[in-house]
Amino acid sequence: MRDLLHLLHRAARAALTLALAGVTWIHLCLHAPPSARAADPLSDVHAYLDTSDQCGKCHGDDINVADPAKCRDCHRDIDRRVRSAKGYHGRIPGDVNCNLCHREHLGRSYQIVQMNVSAFDHVQTGWPLSGKHAQTECRQCHTQKRPSGRDSYLDTSPECKQCHGQFHGQGIAADLDGCEGCHNAFGWKTLNSKLKFDHQTESRYPLTGKHKTDVGCLDCHTERTPQGQLKRFGPISVRGCESCHKDPHPQGIFSGISCAECHVTEGFQQTAGFDHTSVGWPLLGAHKKEPCLSCHKWEQWAPPSKDCVGCHEDVHRGQFKDQQCSACHQETSFSDLKFDHNTQSRFPLKGSHQRVECAACHEGGHYKPIDMECASCHEKDNPHGDTFQGAACSQCHTPVSWKKTHFDHSVTGFALEARHEEQPCYRCHPSGTETEDDTRRECAFCHTQRIHGGQFPQTDCAECHKSADRWAIPFFDHTRSRFALTGQHLQQSCEACHKDGHFKPIDTSCGNCHQNFHEGQLTGACDSCHSTDLWGRVAFDHDRQSSYPLEGKHEGVECKKCHIENRYKGVETTCESCHLDVHLGAKGSDCKQCHTVAGWELNQTINHDFGAFRIGGVHDTLPCERCHNADRSKQLSGTGAECVSCHADPHFGSLGPLCQDCHTQSEFLPSTFLHNGTGFRLSGAHRFVACRDCHPNRVFGGIPKDCEFCHTDTFQTTAGSSCDHPTYCPEGLNNCQDCHTSTSFVRARPGTQCGPCKAGGVRP
């Protein structure tokens, strides 16, 4: 039995040893370094390197890490992009391990280029996709293949012609491959709003005039592909204007002459400044502005003659057949005449004749012969009839104006002066009766009295209307009337008082012109207050002529501020009748207790003596708002007359509430406190000691009067000296006055002894 148990024990130990060995082997396999294990096969593209002697092609000294420099030694195209920082790999630093993206030793079927084409961000290549490009399949642009037959995304040119071809030909002066100057990725046929192509510098044919502003590209560049696409922009053949323009001239007329000798690109009708003097006919004035075909005909380019009639119709119908047109007309304008009527005719033009149009006298273009008598033109304007038959018009009239005559009226016994001289004859001779003596020499014959309405029947007009200069009188002496004008009345027009021409009789009372604003309140005459100098400047003395004298600010107040709606009598004189009670009745109705007419806010006569509280000193200078808030709403009545009601007690109540025992309202310091009243009279040096030195923390009451309360430190500082108080006078603090005075602690009183001296010894 014992042997059996021993055998079983040995078997169990062997099984346990075998199990531990298996676990150890598995652990070593899992955690051994890669160099200690056999590597998985390379991918299919690197299968030719999957031999033990080729490891150095990818790995350096460390067999566990791929060397990126060795990768780029094989992949030269990738190396160029990394070095030039271009393309997708150009954004990667050169020392980054390629194995981070391109894993190996994962089996033959493993794809080492793990790229999600649908989710790839093309911005990372440095060439972002936009417009139609973003909708294009990758292989439409990336058509290359790797040597292994795999798709390649390298060496794809970003130039447009790489995918779209070259349609516009090869330019000589311009780069026609720069498609982005005109086209964009959102649509080939949708051109940019601003083309970058400069025809002036990038072509052999700079555009000027209408070529630049009115001609489109397709008007000259017309060659297209069979599919209808524009094929060529350059170079195109330019053989002069006829390359685009058809010659409008009859064949052979201008043979041998280039278009540019006459025409400019600003417009076909505008000439290039053909020197017309070369044909013996310089163009001047309006001729310079006329188109060629106004004078030239295609059938016969040379005009029939160089005379005016060769082009212009003779509007004078042969009246001046022996004279040159240039004698009167100019090339600037046919109607711009240089004809001098004074020297080139028998009838010099003077006065109003100079402003008359030619056709007014020369009707129907008839210029000669013509009758020069006045009646030939003014027969219809003759107001005299046969009155002056046989007399020359010039005896009275002049060409200056028909109505301005130079007849000497003084021969009639009534000389015309001033305004009379300006009047036309018919104003006084309405029936053309100039030769008959039926015009009376009275003013009323011409100037009726309708304006005065017969108010002055026996008065000579000349008494007011002094001269014939003007009917309106410059100044009437109103002192000749019952109402002399003074002050503002002198500035008024006559019509202001004499309405509708009514001059007499007229009421001279003020109310006749001025509204009575007082409505019967005042029965006295207006001039007792008002004067003619200024209506609003009254002479009323409020102090003597009313029961309410004006003082202070009231003196500068306008009348209407108190006398509302022109109410002058029975006006309340209490303050509240004009001023709002800001205290709402809390201060009573007697405003004069605090305020004066000198100023509402000054409070100069304030009476603040309410009960036990009397204000004085500095308090008199404080504004009310300092204690009663900005709106004076704070009520302090009932708070007590003690200072602590407003001021903090610096003594913390140690001296009681009666601050006035020591301080005054004029100034807080210095105080009037007398220390003798405390039972401790200040003498000697005590008089010059600050209060706080003896009363620390502002405690004034209950302070001991013994010297030791303040001078114990002085007593102790003598220890060890020749006058050692703690040693020789240990009880000295109780009777300091025996040796010392308040004048000075040292020296001691004369004749005093202490310590060893007092005991009969000698002071050390």
Side-chain angles (χ1 to χ4, degrees), residues 314-559:
D314 182 10
V315 296
H316 304 310
R317 298 184 296 278
Q319 297 179 73
F320 305 102
K321 60 183 178 180
D322 298 331
Q323 296 179 353
Q324 292 292 329
C325 300
S326 58
C328 298
H329 301 282
Q330 302 182 76
E331 289 180 299
T332 54
S333 173
F334 183 78
S335 58
D336 187 10
L337 301 179
K338 62 178 181 179
F339 176 73
D340 189 348
H341 215 283
N342 297 334
T343 60
Q344 294 178 263
S345 75
R346 296 173 298 132
F347 191 82
L349 298 182
K350 299 178 181 179
S352 296
H353 287 162
Q354 293 178 324
R355 297 187 294 273
V356 177
E357 294 290 335
C358 302
C361 296
H362 302 282
E363 296 179 356
H366 180 68
Y367 289 89
K368 66 177 187 179
I370 193 169
D371 188 0
M372 295 183 293
E373 296 296 330
C374 299
S376 63
C377 289
H378 301 287
E379 181 64 30
K380 297 178 181 179
D381 301 328
N382 182 11
H384 309 304
D386 297 331
T387 301
F388 300 108
Q389 189 173 8
C393 301
S394 58
Q395 289 183 0
C396 295
H397 302 281
T398 67
V400 175
S401 174
W402 175 260
K403 296 179 180 180
K404 288 187 177 181
T405 64
H406 58 82
F407 175 70
D408 185 4
H409 213 277
S410 62
V411 301
T412 66
F414 188 84
L416 299 183
E417 299 174 351
R419 296 295 295 275
H420 285 162
E421 195 173 11
E422 301 173 1
Q423 305 305 313
C425 303
Y426 68 85
R427 292 291 299 274
C428 296
H429 305 281
S431 302
T433 58
E434 293 90 339
T435 59
E436 300 176 11
D437 191 14
D438 60 351
T439 301
R440 299 196 306 272
R441 302 178 185 180
E442 300 173 0
C443 299
F445 181 78
C446 293
H447 306 283
T448 63
Q449 283 212 10
R450 288 193 304 270
I451 186 171
H452 298 315
Q455 299 176 73
F456 309 103
Q458 306 300 325
T459 304
D460 185 4
C461 300
E463 290 189 24
C464 297
H465 306 281
K466 295 296 183 182
S467 68
D469 288 341
R470 57 179 177 175
W471 175 257
I473 59 178
F475 179 77
F476 174 72
D477 186 3
H478 225 276
T479 58
R480 298 172 57 191
S481 71
R482 296 179 297 115
F483 189 81
L485 298 183
T486 59
Q488 291 291 317
H489 288 162
L490 290 170
Q491 308 301 322
Q492 305 303 315
S493 64
C494 302
E495 292 79 9
C497 298
H498 302 282
K499 301 183 184 301
D500 300 325
H502 180 69
F503 290 89
K504 69 175 189 179
I506 192 169
D507 188 357
T508 58
S509 62
C510 299
N512 186 46
C513 292
H514 302 282
Q515 181 184 357
N516 185 1
F517 292 97
H518 307 307
E519 299 177 352
Q521 299 176 71
L522 307 177
T523 57
C526 299
D527 56 7
S528 63
C529 295
H530 302 280
S531 70
T532 58
D533 291 332
L534 188 64
W535 176 260
R537 187 186 299 162
V538 297
F540 181 75
D541 188 345
H542 218 282
D543 298 341
R544 293 185 299 102
Q545 296 177 263
S546 76
S547 59
Y548 189 82
L550 297 182
E551 299 172 348
K553 293 288 187 179
H554 288 162
E555 290 182 303
V557 177
E558 295 182 79
C559 303

Side-chain angles (χ1 to χ4, degrees), residues 417-711:
E417 299 174 351
R419 296 295 295 275
H420 285 162
E421 195 173 11
E422 301 173 1
Q423 305 305 313
C425 303
Y426 68 85
R427 292 291 299 274
C428 296
H429 305 281
S431 302
T433 58
E434 293 90 339
T435 59
E436 300 176 11
D437 191 14
D438 60 351
T439 301
R440 299 196 306 272
R441 302 178 185 180
E442 300 173 0
C443 299
F445 181 78
C446 293
H447 306 283
T448 63
Q449 283 212 10
R450 288 193 304 270
I451 186 171
H452 298 315
Q455 299 176 73
F456 309 103
Q458 306 300 325
T459 304
D460 185 4
C461 300
E463 290 189 24
C464 297
H465 306 281
K466 295 296 183 182
S467 68
D469 288 341
R470 57 179 177 175
W471 175 257
I473 59 178
F475 179 77
F476 174 72
D477 186 3
H478 225 276
T479 58
R480 298 172 57 191
S481 71
R482 296 179 297 115
F483 189 81
L485 298 183
T486 59
Q488 291 291 317
H489 288 162
L490 290 170
Q491 308 301 322
Q492 305 303 315
S493 64
C494 302
E495 292 79 9
C497 298
H498 302 282
K499 301 183 184 301
D500 300 325
H502 180 69
F503 290 89
K504 69 175 189 179
I506 192 169
D507 188 357
T508 58
S509 62
C510 299
N512 186 46
C513 292
H514 302 282
Q515 181 184 357
N516 185 1
F517 292 97
H518 307 307
E519 299 177 352
Q521 299 176 71
L522 307 177
T523 57
C526 299
D527 56 7
S528 63
C529 295
H530 302 280
S531 70
T532 58
D533 291 332
L534 188 64
W535 176 260
R537 187 186 299 162
V538 297
F540 181 75
D541 188 345
H542 218 282
D543 298 341
R544 293 185 299 102
Q545 296 177 263
S546 76
S547 59
Y548 189 82
L550 297 182
E551 299 172 348
K553 293 288 187 179
H554 288 162
E555 290 182 303
V557 177
E558 295 182 79
C559 303
K560 61 183 179 182
K561 292 290 187 179
C562 298
H563 300 282
I564 301 172
E565 296 181 352
N566 296 316
R567 183 168 172 242
Y568 290 89
K569 285 197 172 183
V571 177
E572 291 286 342
T573 58
T574 58
C575 298
E576 60 268 19
S577 64
C578 289
H579 301 283
L580 179 66
D581 183 7
V582 297
H583 307 301
L584 303 179
K587 305 298 183 184
S589 60
D590 189 5
C591 303
K592 293 190 295 295
Q593 283 188 344
C594 300
H595 304 283
T596 70
V597 293
W600 177 260
E601 297 180 354
L602 295 179
N603 303 330
Q604 289 183 346
T605 60
I606 183 170
N607 181 10
H608 218 291
D609 297 339
F610 300 132
F613 192 62
R614 300 289 188 270
I615 276 186
V618 176
H619 289 147
D620 282 338
T621 65
L622 298 178
C624 303
E625 291 79 7
R626 181 70 176 271
C627 298
H628 297 280
N629 291 343
D631 58 354
R632 304 185 181 182
S633 60
K634 185 177 181 181
Q635 298 294 328
L636 298 179
S637 58
T639 58
E642 292 78 9
C643 299
V644 293
S645 298
C646 292
H647 302 280
D649 183 4
H651 310 308
F652 305 105
S654 62
L655 299 180
L658 301 180
C659 302
Q660 63 271 19
D661 288 349
C662 300
H663 304 282
T664 67
Q665 293 192 44
S666 297
E667 51 186 355
F668 186 75
L669 292 174
S671 68
T672 60
F673 178 71
L674 296 178
H675 216 278
N676 296 344
T678 65
F680 186 83
R681 184 175 65 85
L682 297 181
S683 62
H686 288 159
R687 292 179 298 155
F688 306 104
V689 176
C691 301
R692 60 178 174 272
D693 290 343
C694 296
H695 301 280
N697 300 323
R698 297 181 179 178
V699 176
F700 292 89
I703 301 298
K705 304 174 184 178
D706 299 328
C707 299
E708 62 178 327
F709 181 75
C710 291
H711 300 289

Side-chain angles (χ1 to χ4, degrees), residues 120-365:
F120 180 71
D121 185 3
H122 214 278
V123 174
Q124 300 181 49
T125 67
W127 205 77
L129 299 180
S130 60
K132 298 283 187 181
H133 289 159
Q135 306 169 13
T136 304
E137 295 292 334
C138 302
R139 299 309 298 168
Q140 289 184 253
C141 297
H142 300 284
T143 58
Q144 299 92 332
K145 292 285 187 179
R146 305 286 291 176
S148 62
R150 294 180 296 112
D151 293 339
S152 174
Y153 295 92
L154 304 176
D155 294 328
T156 300
S157 174
E159 296 182 356
C160 301
K161 65 180 181 181
Q162 183 71 22
C163 295
H164 300 287
Q166 189 175 31
F167 291 96
H168 303 320
Q170 183 63 42
I172 296 177
D175 180 16
L176 297 182
D177 294 338
C179 307
E180 65 277 2
C182 300
H183 302 279
N184 57 73
F186 295 93
W188 181 259
K189 295 182 180 180
T190 304
L191 299 181
N192 298 335
S193 58
K194 291 185 178 180
L195 304 183
K196 294 182 180 179
F197 180 75
D198 187 353
H199 215 286
Q200 311 301 98
T201 59
E202 299 184 69
S203 76
R204 296 175 299 155
Y205 192 81
L207 299 182
T208 60
K210 289 187 177 294
H211 287 165
K212 187 175 182 180
T213 58
D214 296 356
V215 179
C217 304
L218 302 183
D219 292 335
C220 296
H221 301 278
T222 58
E223 187 177 356
R224 294 181 177 273
T225 64
Q227 292 77 23
Q229 294 176 321
L230 187 63
K231 184 176 181 180
R232 292 179 67 82
F233 269 105
I236 63 173
S237 177
V238 179
R239 302 182 305 278
C241 303
E242 61 271 14
S243 299
C244 295
H245 301 283
K246 182 180 179 182
D247 186 3
H249 309 113
Q251 187 176 3
I253 290 183
F254 297 114
S255 58
I257 300 177
S258 66
C259 303
E261 292 187 44
C262 295
H263 300 283
V264 294
T265 57
E266 278 71 19
F268 185 76
Q269 299 295 335
Q270 301 181 30
T271 62
F274 173 72
D275 187 7
H276 217 275
T277 58
S278 62
V279 298
W281 180 266
L283 297 182
L284 304 173
H287 288 156
K288 191 183 296 185
K289 302 177 183 178
E290 292 297 319
C292 302
L293 295 180
S294 296
C295 298
H296 300 278
K297 307 297 181 185
W298 292 127
E299 297 78 12
Q300 181 182 355
W301 192 254
S305 70
K306 297 181 180 180
D307 297 331
C308 299
V309 294
C311 294
H312 301 283
E313 179 186 357
D314 182 10
V315 296
H316 304 310
R317 298 184 296 278
Q319 297 179 73
F320 305 102
K321 60 183 178 180
D322 298 331
Q323 296 179 353
Q324 292 292 329
C325 300
S326 58
C328 298
H329 301 282
Q330 302 182 76
E331 289 180 299
T332 54
S333 173
F334 183 78
S335 58
D336 187 10
L337 301 179
K338 62 178 181 179
F339 176 73
D340 189 348
H341 215 283
N342 297 334
T343 60
Q344 294 178 263
S345 75
R346 296 173 298 132
F347 191 82
L349 298 182
K350 299 178 181 179
S352 296
H353 287 162
Q354 293 178 324
R355 297 187 294 273
V356 177
E357 294 290 335
C358 302
C361 296
H362 302 282
E363 296 179 356

Side-chain angles (χ1 to χ4, degrees), residues 14-89:
L16 179 59
T17 302
L18 182 62
L20 290 174
V23 171
T24 302
W25 182 82
I26 293 173
H27 176 77
L28 291 174
C29 289
L30 292 176
H31 296 282
S35 58
R37 303 192 304 246
D40 290 335
L42 294 171
S43 64
D44 187 58
V45 295
H46 289 153
Y48 70 96
L49 299 173
D50 206 357
T51 60
S52 59
D53 60 341
Q54 297 294 322
C55 296
K57 293 288 187 179
C58 298
H59 300 281
D61 296 335
D62 188 354
I63 196 66
N64 297 313
V65 180
D67 186 355
K70 292 180 177 292
C71 296
R72 289 162 56 184
D73 286 342
C74 287
H75 299 279
R76 294 290 185 182
D77 48 357
I78 299 296
D79 182 61
R80 287 194 302 273
R81 284 165 171 74
V82 173
R83 292 180 182 277
S84 60
K86 293 183 178 180
Y88 178 73
H89 289 87

